[in-house]
Amino acid sequence: MQVKTFIAPTMQQALEMVRKHLGSDAILLGNRKVKDTDGKPCIEITAAVDRAGPGKANAAPQWKEEAMAPLPDPVLQEQLEDIRGLLTLLLTGKDTFVRLQSHNALAELFQHLLLRGLSEKTAFTLLQNIFSRFSHEAPSKSQLLDAFSCQIADRVRIVDPLAGVEDEGQGSKMYVFLGPTGVGKTTTLAKVAAYLKVKRKVSIGLVSLDTYRIGALDQLKTYADILDVPLKVAQTRWELVSAREALKENPVVLVDTTGRNYLNSRAIEDLGDIFRDLDGVYSFLVLSATAKDEDVRHVMQRFRPLAPQSLIFTKIDETLTPGTIVNPLLRFSLPVSYLGVGQRVPEDLVRATHERIVGFFFPRGQWRG
């Protein structure tokens, strides 16, 4: 394995140097901004290529320990793959990159998407798909916006698991709200409860597994009293089954769970043991739109064993980069159901739509012309 570092004034020039010296089979390992001897900004790219000698074509590459430390954490491995994937995308998408630099509207759109929270890899991938629609013309801003909207509609899945709950058969279905601490699970559950009880006249029951935080239990009890719905408290699997039996006349049972430290795998395993093999359970993973992209990635990896079926994003009104919610939707291919856009109950929980998601990138008609 031959590893080399290249420095050039622009990303495009650095990628050309990689192609020239290491060939198209090179693996791109990383990049960063540096300054040359005159203090001018440059791009540094590290790349590698397998230069197997005779008889070694099938031999495993020998990494020096100091050059490549083990990556036991799948999240770290995924981060490295994302870096490689982005740079390889730039290398193979040479024509796209050239057009991106030469066309003002395209370059402006790319920067706008990054500023609204979209990752570089996702933004570049979406633009590359958009380019295929305009191979022989320079698109206008309006055309680019329409094409971007189509990409979101094609690639982001949306589901409404509460549609038609009024027509459920005998017995109740449990909707479980999972997620890390501080994302607003209890408030989100209360919004769903109020929407179902007040607006749709659905009979519901509530269960709290969050007996760790007294404030959360008190908060949920207050909502239960206001809505005049039954509330049960459970700490174990057996108590949850008993609570469900007691609430079986209600077609919908909403379950609040303790916020889990996603770095504590044992805590998440314990929660998974409570729900394992129970029928009629639908799990939401509640995430905050204010969280960093890497934190969201970690959360989704850690909660994956609990098999959440769709996502709810909260606190969208509290961030300047709401477009970050699209990164996990494309990376993990999970659908999104609801969006928290404020503190009012239940008004500020809305159904996810493609139009709303596009609107997070272009609020109040931004970037039109």
Side-chain angles (χ1 to χ4, degrees):
M1 180 68 72
Q2 180 183 1
V3 180
K4 295 190 69 173
T5 297
F6 303 89
I7 298 177
T10 68
M11 175 71 77
Q12 181 65 23
Q13 289 173 298
L15 293 172
E16 286 296 332
M17 292 173 68
V18 171
R19 185 190 296 273
K20 177 180 178 181
H21 292 277
L22 297 182
S24 58
D25 293 331
I27 298 173
L28 302 171
L29 303 177
N31 77 307
R32 61 173 183 155
K33 293 180 180 179
V34 297
K35 292 184 178 180
D36 62 15
T37 54
D38 296 327
K40 295 181 180 179
C42 293
I43 298 295
E44 177 186 280
I45 287 182
T46 302
V49 67
D50 188 6
R51 301 296 194 194
K56 297 183 179 181
N58 297 320
Q62 300 298 312
W63 294 93
K64 293 182 180 180
E65 184 174 353
E66 65 273 16
M68 191 64 168
L71 292 174
D73 189 334
V75 176
L76 296 180
Q77 293 177 346
E78 195 170 290
Q79 289 174 341
L80 182 56
E81 288 303 317
D82 264 5
I83 294 172
R84 290 175 175 172
L86 172 60
L87 294 174
T88 301
L89 187 65
L90 292 173
L91 186 62
T92 56
K94 175 184 174 183
D95 293 339
T96 300
F97 195 84
V98 170
R99 291 189 65 187
L100 185 61
Q101 289 182 313
S102 61
H103 191 283
N104 290 338
L106 291 171
E108 186 180 339
L109 175 58
F110 183 70
Q111 291 301 319
H112 182 87
L113 296 178
L114 298 186
L115 289 174
R116 298 300 290 179
L118 205 62
S119 71
E120 288 184 341
K121 181 179 179 181
T122 302
F124 193 84
T125 301
L126 292 178
L127 287 181
Q128 195 170 35
N129 292 335
I130 289 173
F131 287 163
S132 63
R133 298 183 54 181
F134 304 103
S135 57
H136 301 297
E137 61 179 301
S140 66
K141 280 189 173 184
S142 179
Q143 289 175 313
L144 288 174
L145 183 54
D146 289 343
F148 176 79
S149 300
C150 290
Q151 283 291 303
I152 293 297
D154 290 342
R155 297 169 65 90
V156 173
R157 293 193 296 136
I158 293 175
V159 298
D160 182 7
L162 294 172
V165 292
E166 302 91 335
D167 303 323
E168 293 284 347
Q170 184 65 27
S172 60
K173 185 167 184 177
M174 290 197 302
Y175 293 86
V176 181
F177 293 75
L178 306 169
T181 58
V183 297
K185 291 188 301 299
T186 303
T187 301
T188 300
L189 182 149
K191 291 176 180 178
V192 173
Y195 166 69
L196 291 174
K197 177 68 186 297
V198 177
K199 293 193 173 183
R200 291 176 55 179
K201 310 301 181 184
V202 177
S203 178
I204 64 173
L206 307 181
V207 176
S208 176
L209 290 177
D210 193 353
T211 57
Y212 179 75
R213 296 182 304 124
I214 298 300
L217 182 56
D218 290 344
Q219 181 185 9
L220 195 58
K221 187 176 185 306
T222 298
Y223 285 126
D225 291 341
I226 293 173
L227 295 172
D228 190 25
V229 298
L231 169 64
K232 302 294 182 181
V233 178
Q235 291 182 291
T236 65
R237 178 186 177 90
W238 183 85
E239 290 176 348
L240 176 62
V241 172
S242 297
R244 185 180 191 178
E245 176 65 22
L247 298 171
K248 66 180 181 181
E249 298 303 319
N250 302 284
V252 174
V253 174
L254 306 178
V255 183
D256 193 21
T257 64
T258 305
R260 298 289 169 152
N261 178 354
Y262 64 87
L263 298 179
N264 185 344
S265 58
R266 181 58 189 173
I268 294 178
E269 290 172 5
D270 290 343
L271 187 58
D273 290 339
I274 294 177
F275 295 101
R276 186 165 291 113
D277 298 327
L278 289 182
D279 294 328
V281 176
Y282 189 99
S283 297
F284 296 108
L285 179 58
V286 184
L287 301 170
S288 171
T290 64
K292 294 183 294 185
D293 190 43
E294 289 306 313
D295 289 339
V296 172
R297 183 204 301 265
H298 277 269
V299 168
M300 294 190 68
Q301 286 282 6
R302 298 301 186 184
F303 277 86
R304 181 175 281 175
L306 276 64
Q309 288 150 283
S310 68
L311 303 178
I312 297 176
F313 288 97
T314 64
K315 304 184 181 182
I316 291 179
D317 58 310
E318 300 179 22
T319 178
L320 296 175
T321 56
T324 54
I325 71 171
V326 174
N327 296 325
L329 290 174
L330 298 185
R331 180 181 295 129
F332 292 93
S333 296
L334 273 176
V336 57
S337 295
Y338 305 104
L339 306 168
V341 294
Q343 294 298 314
R344 294 180 302 166
V345 177
E347 294 88 349
D348 287 338
L349 186 74
V350 298
R351 286 182 55 190
T353 65
H354 294 121
E355 291 77 11
R356 284 192 173 110
I357 293 174
V358 171
F360 295 147
F361 288 97
F362 308 100
R364 297 179 299 278
Q366 281 185 15
W367 206 83
R368 287 184 180 273

